[in-house]
Amino acid sequence: MDLNTITEVVRRPSDRPGTDWHEGDAWLAGGTWLYSTEQPHLRRLIDLTALRWAPLVPGEAGLEISATCTIRELYAFAPPHDWTAGILLPKSCEAFLSSFKVWNAATVGGNICMSLPAGPMITLTVALEAQYELWASDGSVRMVDALDFVTGDHENILAPGEILRRVVIPAHALRKRTAHRRFTLTRLGRSTVFLIGTQRPGANDLLLTITAGTVRPIRIAFDSLPDARTLRQSIEALPADVWFADPNGTPDHRLHLTRYFAEEIRRDLTAGDLA
């Protein structure tokens, strides 16, 4: 779609692009959402791809993913053998409601900052206990837990002019055992629910991440694997207004699916039947 209100495109922003932020500006990375609908409030686009941030930086401390890393680049990444949770990287990419062509442009940061309930990069990074590095327009930097970033449907904690610079996934989370479940109304449709369970190697704990069925990501932690009743009660204790409603499912439907798939994840981690 043509954005006919745009009067300027900054092709070579400064290394700290937020310092020149004005009302009516927008960050341009993949642009897959930006160009999909009218944006009458925008006047200027700032092209982040020109900064050429390294898309993926693995190291002993874990994995850094730049905001401009494309879904294609993330999907193609081969994690070290001991990063057993690395299987969640391609699985989360496959949860996109988009074709492989869109993967070549769509970015990890764009999906996170859209802050939609079904955003699979949100699911991935919350489940893997990631931190987000945010750059403010005054030059300051803050690190926030991925769990705290999205606050509602299409809502997050970003201040005007603030930018997501990178995602930092710790190595200990990448070494966890995992199990996941996802439900869609059609084979390649938007996620109605997307759940991931993780467990420390050699331990009996459970960290359950619930997304897509809720307006913001939810994490429920257990020091040891709960029984079926305890798990069900923990899910049912979530506030009623956290459950999402759209054409892909009612809140009651999503609650039902979450209970069902959470129990399957619990059984997988109990039996060691992981994927």
Side-chain angles (χ1 to χ4, degrees):
M1 175 176 288
D2 292 335
L3 301 181
N4 57 16
T5 61
I6 300 299
T7 59
E8 182 183 1
V9 178
V10 179
R11 296 291 187 186
R12 291 182 173 81
S14 67
D15 289 339
R16 303 291 300 217
T19 57
D20 189 34
W21 178 266
H22 302 287
E23 186 176 352
D25 286 355
W27 307 117
L28 174 62
T32 53
W33 176 80
L34 194 63
Y35 284 98
S36 71
T37 186
E38 294 181 357
Q39 309 285 353
H41 61 293
L42 297 184
R43 300 292 179 269
R44 186 171 71 152
L45 302 180
I46 303 172
D47 185 1
L48 298 178
T49 61
L51 296 173
R52 300 191 180 282
W53 293 330
L56 295 149
V57 183
E60 291 185 4
L63 178 64
E64 294 184 5
I65 308 172
S66 79
T68 53
C69 174
T70 66
I71 305 307
R72 170 62 65 190
E73 289 169 324
L74 182 63
Y75 187 75
F77 175 68
H81 179 72
D82 65 331
W83 287 5
T84 50
I87 191 173
L88 296 175
L89 304 180
K91 290 296 183 183
S92 297
C93 292
E94 291 166 359
F96 267 85
L97 178 61
S98 64
S99 71
F100 69 92
K101 296 178 182 178
V102 174
W103 289 11
N104 292 323
T107 62
V108 172
N111 186 251
I112 291 171
C113 292
M114 278 293 294
S115 301
L116 299 176
M121 297 297 99
I122 298 168
T123 310
L124 171 70
T125 54
V126 171
L128 293 183
E129 305 163 56
Q131 295 277 310
Y132 297 163
E133 181 180 314
L134 308 181
W135 287 3
S137 57
D138 64 3
S140 62
V141 177
R142 60 172 172 153
M143 300 294 294
V144 301
D145 192 318
L147 179 66
D148 300 326
F149 182 80
V150 176
T151 56
D153 178 17
H154 205 45
E155 298 175 349
N156 59 49
I157 64 171
L158 283 174
E162 197 168 27
I163 186 173
L164 171 61
R165 169 60 183 88
R166 62 168 61 90
V167 175
V168 181
I169 301 177
H172 75 83
L174 288 161
R175 294 190 177 99
K176 285 189 169 186
R177 304 165 69 232
T178 70
H180 65 278
R181 292 293 188 277
R182 176 172 171 259
F183 178 86
T184 61
L185 293 178
T186 60
R187 181 172 175 270
L188 298 176
R190 185 183 297 273
S191 299
T192 300
V193 295
F194 191 178
L195 283 71
I196 295 175
T198 64
Q199 186 179 69
R200 291 175 296 153
N204 193 40
D205 61 325
L206 170 63
L207 188 65
L208 179 67
T209 298
I210 303 169
T211 62
T214 51
V215 296
R216 56 178 173 82
I218 300 292
R219 267 196 325 223
I220 306 176
F222 300 92
D223 292 333
S224 59
L225 275 171
D227 58 28
R229 181 180 179 182
T230 301
L231 179 60
R232 180 186 180 98
Q233 289 176 339
S234 297
I235 294 169
E236 291 176 343
L238 294 174
D241 60 1
V242 80
W243 297 101
F244 186 50
D246 73 354
N248 293 288
T250 65
D252 285 346
H253 178 54
R254 286 177 150 116
L255 172 58
H256 167 73
L257 291 172
T258 298
R259 289 187 303 229
Y260 180 82
F261 288 131
E263 173 58 16
E264 287 196 343
I265 287 173
R266 186 189 72 86
R267 291 179 180 178
D268 282 358
L269 290 170
T270 301
D273 181 16
L274 309 178

